[in-house]
Amino acid sequence: MDDSPTKHLLGPKKKVKIHPNTVTVKYATHFPQPGDEGYDDAPSFEDFSSFVEETSDRKRLTSGGPTSKPCRTFLGSLDGQSKPCADQKVSGGVGGQLQSFGEACVFSSRLTWGALFIAALAHGCVALLTRLAADRSRVPSLELLFIRSVIQVLSVAVVYYHQEAPFGPSGYRLRLFFYGVCNVISITCAYTSFAIVPPSNGTIMWRATTTVFSAILAFLLIDERLGLIDMVTVVSSVFGLCLVMVPNIISENRLGFWKEAFGYTMTVMAGLTAALSMIIYRSIKEKVSMWTALFTFGWTGTLWGACTMFVLQEPIIPLDGETWAYLLSICICSTIAFLGVYYALNRLHPALVSTVQHLEIVVAALLQLLVLHMAPSIYDVIGGFIIIVSVIMLAAVKLFWVGKSRRQEYEEILDSPIK
C-alpha cells in the first residue's frame, strides 16, 4: 500500500478518460526562497500537513454519517432548519482545506505583528518606569535585573503545564544555556553602559546595533537573508535612530575619550549578544518554546544577579510601596515584551523583529512628554517620524501585499478546473 501524503490528500485513484481535444494546463508551484518577499510569511508544507490532520480529525468527529443532519453554528448551537450542511460540502476535499489554511495563515501573520507592536509598547513603558524607579529610590540596575529574573522564573509553571523539559530537550540544552548567557551578558553590558554614557544614547545605540548585528549574523549563521524592501525599511529605521541621537551627542558633557569609548563599546557588546541570543533561539525554535526560553532567561539572570549585584553595586531594599509598584510594573511589562518578541521570532527574520522594537524610542518619548513634561527636540520628532513610517511600511508590505499574493495563489488553485 502506498501511504504517501499525496494519496491521503487526493483520495483513491480514479480512471479518467481525457478527450483528445482537451487542453491541459500545467501548474507550477513556486516556493519563496530566502531573500524573496514573503519568505518569512510563507507557510511550509509541514504547516499544511498538520492543518490537514487537524481538519480531518474535526470532520471525523463532526460528521454524522451518510444521512443529512442540521449544521452547527460557530458557538455550537443547532441551526433552526433541518437541511444539509452546504458549507461542509463546499469546504470538503483539498480545496476547502487549502482555503481554510490560507485564512489561518493570514490570521497568524496579523497576530504576529500585533504581538510585535504590543512588545514595542511594553518596552517603551519599561523605559519610563525604570527612570521613575531610579528617580524615586535609586534602585541599582543589577538589582533590578535580579528582581525581574526572580519573577520570570515563575514561568516554569507554564513550562510544566505544557509538559516540556524546563532545561530544554536533549541535544538542545547547551545551545539553550548559551542563549540564556547571551541574554544576561547583553542586559549587563547595557546597564553598565548606562552608568557611563547617557541612558538615552545607550538605549538607542543598543537597539541600532542589535538590528544591524541580527541581520549580519542571521545571514552568516543560519543563511537567512533580507528582501530588498525589508533592507530599505531596516536601514531607514536605523537612520531615524541616529537622528534621535544627534542632540544627545551635541549636548553631552565630555567624560574623556577612553571613558566614552568604553561606555559605547559596552552598548555595542550589548547589541551583539542580544542579536546572537535571537539567532540562537531562531535556530532551536522548533524544539524550544518561548516559555522555556523565558524560564532560561529567568534562572540565568537570577544566578548572575545574585553573584554580581553585591560585588559590582550596592543593593538597597525599597521601603515604600510606590517603588515596589514601579518594580512590579517593570517585571510585568518586560515579560510581555519578551513574549511578544519571541513569539514573532517563530515567523519573522530577527532583523525585522528588532526593527519594529525601534518604536520603543517613540513610545518612551511620548510617555515622557505626557508624564514628565519633557518636550522632544526637532531631531527627536524627525527621527521618530522616520521610524514610524519605516515600521508601518514594513508591516503593510508583510500584511497586505504578501498576504494578498498568498490569497491570490489559493484562489487560483481553488478556481482551477484541475483539483
Side-chain angles (χ1 to χ4, degrees), residues 196-250:
I196 301 173
V197 299
S200 56
N201 286 4
T203 303
I204 295 172
M205 183 72 73
W206 185 16
R207 289 295 175 199
T209 53
T210 300
T211 303
V212 173
F213 281 124
S214 60
I216 297 174
L217 293 177
F219 173 71
L220 295 177
L221 299 180
I222 56 178
D223 196 25
E224 290 191 9
R225 301 174 178 86
L226 287 172
L228 179 60
I229 297 179
D230 298 341
M231 194 173 299
V232 170
T233 54
V234 169
V235 171
S236 61
S237 182
V238 172
F239 176 71
L241 287 179
C242 296
L243 279 181
V244 176
M245 280 189 64
V246 169
N248 298 330
I249 294 177
I250 294 176

Side-chain angles (χ1 to χ4, degrees), residues 66-333:
T67 58
S68 299
K69 288 191 176 183
C71 299
R72 287 186 178 273
T73 62
F74 179 75
L75 296 178
S77 59
L78 290 175
D79 200 335
Q81 299 178 355
S82 297
K83 60 182 180 180
C85 297
D87 293 338
Q88 292 181 0
K89 293 182 179 180
V90 174
S91 62
V94 179
Q97 290 173 341
L98 279 173
Q99 184 177 11
S100 301
F101 181 65
E103 294 173 356
C105 289
V106 173
F107 173 76
S108 178
S109 181
R110 292 175 180 174
L111 183 63
T112 300
W113 283 92
L116 268 182
F117 285 118
I118 292 176
L121 178 62
H123 273 134
C125 295
V126 169
L128 177 65
L129 291 170
T130 302
R131 176 161 187 164
L132 293 175
D135 293 341
R136 177 70 180 179
S137 300
R138 303 294 178 184
V139 179
S141 56
L142 291 177
E143 182 181 357
L144 179 59
L145 173 64
F146 175 75
I147 297 174
R148 165 183 168 179
S149 300
V150 168
I151 294 180
Q152 289 177 345
V153 167
L154 300 178
S155 61
V156 69
V158 183
V159 175
Y160 277 116
Y161 176 78
H162 291 290
Q163 298 180 352
E164 300 175 4
F167 298 101
S170 179
Y172 294 86
R173 291 170 184 170
L174 183 59
R175 276 187 283 178
L176 185 60
F177 172 73
F178 188 49
Y179 152 82
V181 171
C182 288
N183 252 327
V184 171
I185 292 176
S186 175
I187 298 291
T188 304
C189 290
Y191 287 166
T192 302
S193 68
F194 295 164
I196 301 173
V197 299
S200 56
N201 286 4
T203 303
I204 295 172
M205 183 72 73
W206 185 16
R207 289 295 175 199
T209 53
T210 300
T211 303
V212 173
F213 281 124
S214 60
I216 297 174
L217 293 177
F219 173 71
L220 295 177
L221 299 180
I222 56 178
D223 196 25
E224 290 191 9
R225 301 174 178 86
L226 287 172
L228 179 60
I229 297 179
D230 298 341
M231 194 173 299
V232 170
T233 54
V234 169
V235 171
S236 61
S237 182
V238 172
F239 176 71
L241 287 179
C242 296
L243 279 181
V244 176
M245 280 189 64
V246 169
N248 298 330
I249 294 177
I250 294 176
S251 60
E252 181 180 346
N253 296 325
R254 295 301 161 189
L255 304 173
F257 174 78
W258 293 110
K259 192 172 183 179
E260 287 185 359
F262 176 75
Y264 285 110
T265 301
M266 287 292 100
T267 60
V268 174
M269 286 296 299
L272 174 61
T273 50
L276 187 58
S277 67
M278 289 196 295
I279 301 301
I280 295 173
Y281 178 77
R282 180 80 171 167
S283 66
I284 62 176
K285 62 184 177 67
E286 301 295 337
K287 298 293 183 179
V288 178
S289 69
M290 61 182 183
W291 291 103
T292 306
L294 178 62
F295 171 67
T296 303
F297 180 47
W299 73 261
T300 52
T302 301
L303 292 179
W304 178 255
C307 296
T308 58
M309 68 176 180
F310 294 100
V311 177
L312 302 179
Q313 296 176 348
E314 295 182 3
I316 64 172
I317 299 178
L319 300 177
D320 58 312
E322 183 178 354
T323 302
W324 281 108
Y326 289 147
L327 294 177
L328 292 177
S329 300
I330 290 172
C331 296
I332 294 174
C333 290

Side-chain angles (χ1 to χ4, degrees), residues 374-397:
M374 296 176 59
S377 65
I378 185 64
Y379 291 99
D380 295 334
V381 175
I382 297 175
F385 178 76
I386 294 176
I387 293 172
I388 293 174
V389 171
S390 302
V391 173
I392 290 178
M393 185 173 69
L394 178 62
V397 168

